Amino acid sequence: MANTFVTLFWRPSVFDEAVQWLAGHGYTIVHLDARRWATEADMHRDVASALDFPDYYGHNLDALNDCLRDVVAYRYGTTREATGLLIAFNGYHAFAEADPRCAAEVLDIIAGQARSAALIGHRMLCLVQSDDPQIAFEPVGAMPVLWNHREWLDARRRPGSDPHPLIA
């Protein structure tokens, strides 16, 4: 959260390790498989189900923003007892290829709501796993989407490179 509320991951093992660490520290984990999303409607269906959005959810980006505002206020999706909320996307490259505008907008909405959440002491993060080691997004929530610290260098996102270097 120090640098961005939305962080990219290439290696599934590095992504899974980060998700497990957050789970072990009391975060509510919401896993979403973006590989299955060919359309914006697919994304809305899965996000609404995973975060337990109300039946009247509008299945559009404005409604997503509104419902995430309610998640920030603990109305659904997580509880006050949790350390925070993690939205973990697997295979986001597939959705970004299918609908680049919507994929970027979803991250922007999440980042903006995560910033709002931080203002009231609610931790909200988004980890984004992509099989494309060169995937990039414009800044979201007025913050950049950065690679995690272990895969920051391009050389660490090449097949055969060591995800556990001796020096960071």
Side-chain angles (χ1 to χ4, degrees):
M1 269 180 19
N3 297 318
T4 183
F5 295 103
V6 179
T7 304
L8 293 170
F9 289 78
W10 173 54
R11 283 188 178 81
S13 61
V14 176
F15 174 80
D16 291 343
E17 185 179 316
V19 170
Q20 290 307 312
W21 188 92
L22 290 164
H25 285 82
Y27 277 74
T28 299
I29 309 296
V30 174
H31 284 277
L32 292 157
D33 187 356
R35 285 181 189 90
R36 302 173 348 138
W37 302 342
T39 66
E40 181 177 336
D42 296 333
M43 178 276 301
H44 286 292
R45 177 198 63 230
D46 289 356
V47 169
S49 175
L51 288 168
D52 199 28
F53 285 176
D55 292 339
Y56 58 82
Y57 173 61
H59 295 267
N60 60 62
L61 295 174
D62 288 335
L64 176 65
N65 192 43
D66 290 345
C67 281
L68 284 176
R69 187 175 299 115
D70 290 342
V71 169
V72 167
Y74 300 101
R75 289 189 181 96
Y76 33 80
T78 188
T79 66
R80 292 182 187 277
E81 292 73 33
T83 302
L85 171 66
L86 170 65
I87 300 172
F89 292 117
N90 285 94
Y92 206 73
H93 60 283
F95 184 49
E97 290 170 11
D99 193 337
R101 179 204 55 81
C102 185
E105 185 67 23
V106 167
L107 298 182
D108 188 57
I109 290 168
I110 292 170
Q113 291 301 333
R115 185 178 60 246
S116 294
L119 294 173
I120 61 167
H122 182 180
R123 295 178 182 105
M124 191 167 147
L125 303 170
C126 179
L127 303 186
V128 180
Q129 188 279 325
S130 169
D131 290 349
D132 176 359
Q134 300 304 316
I135 197 168
F137 295 94
E138 293 295 318
V140 295
M143 297 179 79
V145 177
L146 300 172
W147 284 98
N148 69 88
H149 72 281
R150 288 179 41 199
E151 296 177 322
W152 178 263
L153 297 174
D154 288 344
R156 299 228 178 109
R157 294 190 312 272
R158 292 191 186 122
S161 63
D162 184 1
H164 299 283
L166 295 176
I167 56 174

